[in-house]
Amino acid sequence: MRGNESGFPVDAAANRRDGDRREVLIPATIRCPDGESISCILRDMSPGGAKLSVSRRHRLPPTFTLSVTGHETRYPVRRVWQRADAAGVVLDLPEITGS
């Protein structure tokens, strides 16, 4: 299950997307492995990734969970890039292999 199948399409990096990006303004919360919570905004989304707007004073860890307002699920994500007050993330789901 990837991207929009899970209900949370995300963005790989700058222009390396699996599909068209969509501009959005959705409040979300970053939950770091050390327990810190950071407010952010989903700025654009695509089937391959998402761009977050987050205060530049926060250096995001390589992996964290993202809670999107209105969704109960916490999405495991991986930071692909971070510059100034923006960061690009991708879903960090385990590969599923068939038997």
Side-chain angles (χ1 to χ4, degrees):
M1 201 172 7
R2 283 244 184 247
N4 56 12
E5 292 176 26
S6 68
F8 175 62
V10 291
D11 169 32
N15 289 315
R16 290 181 234 157
R17 291 178 174 82
D18 292 335
D20 294 330
R21 71 178 116 167
R22 191 178 78 204
E23 289 186 19
V24 296
L25 289 172
I26 301 172
T29 302
I30 294 165
R31 307 227 187 255
C32 300
D34 67 3
E36 180 181 15
S37 292
I38 302 168
S39 294
C40 68
I41 302 288
L42 283 165
R43 300 296 302 209
D44 79 31
M45 297 174 9
S46 74
K51 178 179 171 184
L52 307 177
S53 185
V54 60
S55 173
R56 66 183 64 212
R57 73 174 188 238
H58 296 290
R59 179 68 182 154
L60 300 178
T63 60
F64 53 90
T65 57
L66 190 65
S67 299
V68 179
T69 301
H71 292 263
E72 292 182 26
T73 305
R74 285 187 179 180
Y75 301 96
V77 297
R78 180 174 41 88
R79 176 181 44 85
V80 177
W81 59 267
Q82 184 173 5
R83 289 183 292 280
D85 62 352
V89 298
V90 294
L91 277 174
D92 193 20
L93 299 175
E95 291 295 320
I96 300 173
T97 58
S99 329

